[in-house]
Amino acid sequence: MKQKKEMLDSVPRIATPFFAIIIIFASVFLFKINAVLSVIILICSALILLEKIIWHFARVRKMKEYISNAASDEDELQNNEALFKSMSPIAGIRIDGSIAWYNSAFKELFPVISDKKIFELLPEIRIREIYDKGAHDGVTVEIGDESYNVKASVKRRTSPDHAAIMLYMEKVTELLRLRRELDDAQCAVAHIMVDNYDEAINDVNDEEHLDVINLIDKNIIGWMQDSGGLVRKLEKDKFLCVFTKKQLDGFIEKKFEVLDNVRNFNPGTKTPPTLSVGIGIGSENLSGDNNSAKKALEMALGRGGDQVVIHEKGKFRYFGGNTKETEKRTKVKARIMARNLRELMENSDNVLIMGHRNSDADAIGAAIGVASMAEFIKKEAKVLLLTKDDTVQMLLKKIEDNHYHDGMFIGKTGVKEFITPKTLLVVCDTHVPEYTEMPELLDSVKTKVVIDHHRRSESFIDSADIVYHEPFASSACEMVAEIMQYFDPRYSVSTVDAEALYSGIAVDTKNFTFKTGVRTFEAAAYLRAAGVDTLHVKKLFRESIDSYKLKACIVTEAQVYGDNIAISLFSGVVPHLIVAEAADEMLEITDIKASFVVARSEDGSVIISGRSLGEVNVQVVLEKLGGGGHMMVAGAQLLGTSVTDAGEMLKQAIDELSI
């Protein structure tokens, strides 16, 4: 069929002489019957043929003149005839888009050319852009059922009005089809882990264990086998899968329905099982895809589980992650971390602790806790504090008045004098290098420890000797309080340090209402036993009447977006703390499931604070704007934009996630 089409495509080129010969022979036979009619037909045929020949040579001459003007050397002049007879569509274009010349193949592709501009035939072509660049590397266009690659080059650039631009078209339909087939056949590797396998099994009696296991296996194995992929169970809660990119596109289109299937099949457990899936694709071989899948799974687990993470050519994509995190930590890990941390401290000259920029009560409280443990084993400890938010003013004043930690906080100048080749650097309340007080210290200090509770981001301090990352913890202070209990049997936290740690937990949990688990209250109980006065802690975070009024103004500006999301766009300059507190206040509105405050910060950037009651994942929303955090508490910071534009970007992110 294809060969027939190609034969038919060549008919117009030989049609004129072919029909002329037929008419001549017909006239000869007709002459015996009617000589006059035969002569008339012969004369008309000759005139038509002559007109065709004149038109043909005129077009050839016009093309040669156009190319001669465009040509820069004799070699191009010798190729004129080849261009004219080329089977590929070729045309000469003026700077205004009008078509100066075209060959027969171009005419066959566009039967109606008269008085048309090139952008009317090929909207993808931008003549002015081609002239400015001097060439066009190629753009794929669809014409009917065929695909063409269109390239262009400027042959004469003396002036725009006399520019000669050659347009070349190459049929690439078959090539693109083969590329799509190869792309669809590309292999992907997935590692699947059941997040809370043990909890789900332990929630049922012994007789139902097998039923729960079978239900989990059936959902995972059936999902993969139905798609035509390969699946193998590696351990009781781990699976390895191999499938093609075409199958992966199908999974994405259905939004990885296996996540919902496993979460909602309700085996009668108190804690429903969820899945974390890491997918690797785009590497040079299956080994590379396997390593990418492991990184993706690590990212999924670090972000709280119940989601799919795809790692392709160094970039991550996220799907799911809309389930409230389930606390699933053991004290064994805290005990191990305490032992390893003490060992690193003992082998170091001194200890330097730093948190994130605009340090809050959680970052400073955790840093004070780490410094306290270092001082217990006679190691000098300093806390780098360059920037802080308003929540810690009273806390720092109380520590200063107490004189318990005189000289503990240092700035940039003091850091240079403090660091030695054997300094231990402890990063608290962040794992993102760019968010730390002094990112350059991460390269200058050899031994590092990271203690953080935020859901994992793509950027991570991966050169640390110890990473204590628990996205299920309420705060970094909670994690440090647990380490303290296993640091040394003789260690006893002071009341001042305990209040600093308790303050961090109280701030991050909004007074024990957000993201709290059994371990949170156990840590709080440990600190309370050390002499924490909860009334004193509450007094540390009282606000001025001006701050209270400003927060009320922000809440007043709130509008309901969709059915249950409150958004406040506030044009004034607002401290970070007030923005966060206003978002908290908006959650008190009836039927509101999530709240966002967008305002201009004191440093000129636009900040967005998001809060949720658990049904909406504000972290996923703000990640689209370059932010992050937790499912119920998240934030973002935008530069070079207005509050109004930031608000539109926020709404677009909400719409894309169909919240």
Side-chain angles (χ1 to χ4, degrees), residues 57-317:
F57 282 104
R59 189 157 62 93
V60 171
R61 187 183 72 255
K62 189 176 181 181
M63 181 272 292
K64 288 182 177 181
E65 290 176 356
Y66 178 82
I67 298 178
S68 296
N69 289 332
S72 58
D73 53 47
E74 295 182 1
D75 291 336
E76 290 192 51
L77 289 172
Q78 294 173 1
N79 290 329
N80 291 353
E81 194 66 27
L83 288 172
F84 179 68
K85 294 181 178 180
S86 173
M87 299 288 288
S88 298
I90 302 174
I93 312 299
R94 300 186 183 94
I95 193 65
D96 62 354
S98 60
I99 302 172
W101 169 86
Y102 51 87
N103 67 356
S104 300
F106 193 89
K107 173 66 175 177
E108 292 173 21
L109 201 59
F110 302 103
V112 181
I113 299 178
S114 179
D115 299 327
K116 286 187 177 291
K117 299 294 180 74
I118 189 63
F119 48 78
E120 296 180 72
L121 304 177
L122 297 170
E124 297 85 355
I125 300 301
R126 303 285 186 270
I127 292 299
R128 190 73 208 192
E129 181 180 332
I130 294 172
Y131 176 79
D132 292 339
K133 291 183 177 180
H136 194 290
D137 294 335
V139 60
T140 301
V141 300
E142 303 292 333
I143 302 175
D145 296 331
E146 304 291 349
S147 299
Y148 290 85
N149 181 257
V150 183
K151 295 184 179 181
S153 62
V154 180
K155 295 299 182 180
R156 189 180 66 215
R157 296 174 57 87
T158 53
S159 70
D161 294 335
H162 298 88
I165 300 172
M166 296 297 295
L167 209 66
Y168 309 90
M169 299 180 66
E170 179 185 6
K171 188 184 292 186
V172 292
T173 308
E174 190 66 16
L175 177 62
L176 293 180
R177 184 186 65 80
L178 291 173
R179 284 180 178 176
R180 282 193 296 268
E181 289 180 357
L182 289 173
D183 189 53
D184 288 342
Q186 185 181 178
C187 282
V189 176
H191 284 270
I192 302 177
M193 175 177 285
V194 183
D195 294 325
N196 39 9
Y197 184 91
D198 291 332
E199 290 85 347
I201 295 298
N202 293 333
D203 279 349
V204 298
N205 56 48
D206 294 340
E207 296 178 356
E208 296 175 327
H209 276 189
L210 188 58
D211 292 336
V212 175
I213 294 171
N214 287 337
L215 282 171
I216 295 174
D217 291 355
K218 182 179 179 181
N219 275 276
I220 298 173
I221 296 175
W223 168 64
M224 188 53 56
Q225 289 180 342
D226 289 345
S227 68
L230 175 68
V231 58
R232 288 292 180 269
K233 187 173 183 177
L234 304 179
E235 299 179 25
K236 62 180 183 180
D237 58 349
K238 296 180 181 178
F239 298 80
L240 174 67
C241 306
V242 180
F243 43 87
T244 65
K245 185 180 184 299
K246 185 175 182 179
Q247 292 163 340
L248 175 60
D249 292 339
F251 299 153
I252 294 174
E253 184 178 352
K254 295 181 180 179
K255 298 182 179 179
F256 290 96
E257 59 187 357
V258 68
L259 296 178
D260 296 327
N261 293 341
V262 171
R263 187 191 318 112
N264 298 330
F265 73 73
N266 191 17
T269 62
K270 296 179 182 178
T271 306
T274 58
L275 300 182
S276 289
V277 183
I279 298 175
I281 189 172
S283 300
E284 295 181 356
N285 48 51
L286 282 175
S287 177
D289 288 335
N290 186 58
N291 293 332
S292 292
K294 290 179 179 179
K295 291 180 181 178
L297 179 61
E298 183 181 354
M299 178 68 75
L301 293 171
R303 289 163 52 85
D306 188 31
Q307 60 190 280
V308 177
V309 177
I310 300 176
H311 186 222
E312 182 176 8
K313 297 179 181 178
K315 296 183 178 180
F316 291 93
R317 286 186 287 165

Side-chain angles (χ1 to χ4, degrees), residues 23-77:
I23 292 173
I24 291 172
F25 277 105
S27 299
V28 172
F29 286 109
L30 186 63
F31 185 81
K32 298 178 181 180
I33 301 172
N34 190 329
V36 176
L37 181 62
S38 175
V39 172
I40 293 173
I41 292 175
L42 190 61
I43 293 173
C44 291
S45 300
L47 291 174
I48 293 173
L49 181 61
L50 181 63
E51 188 274 337
K52 181 68 176 178
I53 293 172
I54 293 173
W55 176 85
H56 173 76
F57 282 104
R59 189 157 62 93
V60 171
R61 187 183 72 255
K62 189 176 181 181
M63 181 272 292
K64 288 182 177 181
E65 290 176 356
Y66 178 82
I67 298 178
S68 296
N69 289 332
S72 58
D73 53 47
E74 295 182 1
D75 291 336
E76 290 192 51
L77 289 172

Side-chain angles (χ1 to χ4, degrees), residues 370-435:
V370 173
S372 174
M373 288 184 282
E375 291 176 345
F376 175 78
I377 59 173
K378 310 302 181 184
K379 292 292 180 178
E380 185 180 10
K382 299 289 185 182
V383 176
L384 176 64
L385 185 62
L386 304 180
T387 58
K388 56 185 180 295
D389 67 21
D390 296 335
T391 63
V392 297
Q393 296 292 352
M394 295 295 292
L395 175 62
L396 293 175
K397 186 176 185 305
K398 183 172 182 178
I399 293 173
E400 182 181 346
D401 293 343
N402 188 270
H403 299 292
Y404 183 71
H405 289 301
D406 287 342
M408 173 180 286
F409 297 99
I410 59 174
K412 281 189 176 181
T413 305
V415 165
K416 295 178 181 178
E417 300 174 354
F418 185 73
I419 290 179
T420 72
K422 294 184 68 177
T423 293
L424 171 64
L425 175 63
V426 181
V427 179
C428 294
D429 203 32
T430 185
H431 60 262
V432 181
E434 303 83 46
Y435 290 174

Side-chain angles (χ1 to χ4, degrees), residues 416-583:
K416 295 178 181 178
E417 300 174 354
F418 185 73
I419 290 179
T420 72
K422 294 184 68 177
T423 293
L424 171 64
L425 175 63
V426 181
V427 179
C428 294
D429 203 32
T430 185
H431 60 262
V432 181
E434 303 83 46
Y435 290 174
T436 59
E437 286 278 32
M438 286 184 66
E440 57 268 30
L441 289 181
L442 298 173
D443 295 325
S444 58
V445 178
K446 181 179 179 182
T447 309
K448 296 179 282 292
V449 173
V450 175
I451 301 174
D452 189 31
H453 68 109
H454 294 97
R455 299 180 85 179
R456 180 159 178 162
S457 302
E458 294 180 22
S459 183
F460 198 90
I461 303 174
D462 52 9
S463 59
D465 297 80
I466 296 177
V467 176
Y468 190 21
H469 181 229
E470 291 285 358
F472 309 102
S474 69
S475 56
C477 284
E478 176 188 328
M479 298 168 67
V480 172
E482 286 190 336
I483 293 175
M484 284 178 167
Q485 298 174 56
Y486 302 104
F487 189 75
D488 190 292
R490 299 166 297 171
Y491 174 75
S492 177
V493 60
S494 69
T495 300
V496 174
D497 295 340
E499 287 194 354
L501 288 160
Y502 192 94
S503 299
I505 298 175
V507 168
D508 268 26
T509 61
K510 311 305 175 189
N511 287 319
F512 299 91
T513 56
F514 284 96
K515 210 172 185 294
T516 54
V518 174
R519 303 282 290 279
T520 308
F521 290 102
E522 288 179 351
Y526 165 74
L527 298 173
R528 183 75 175 83
V532 171
D533 188 327
T534 55
L535 185 59
H536 288 171
V537 173
K538 184 174 179 63
K539 289 180 179 179
L540 292 175
F541 302 108
R542 289 185 297 178
E543 58 187 326
S544 67
I545 185 65
D546 292 335
S547 296
Y548 192 86
K549 288 180 178 179
L550 180 57
K551 183 168 61 177
C553 290
I554 295 174
V555 175
T556 303
E557 295 292 325
Q559 299 290 330
V560 177
Y561 185 72
D563 296 329
N564 45 38
I565 297 178
I567 299 178
S568 176
L569 305 181
F570 192 75
S571 57
V573 176
V574 187
H576 284 71
L577 175 61
I578 302 300
V579 173
E581 290 181 345

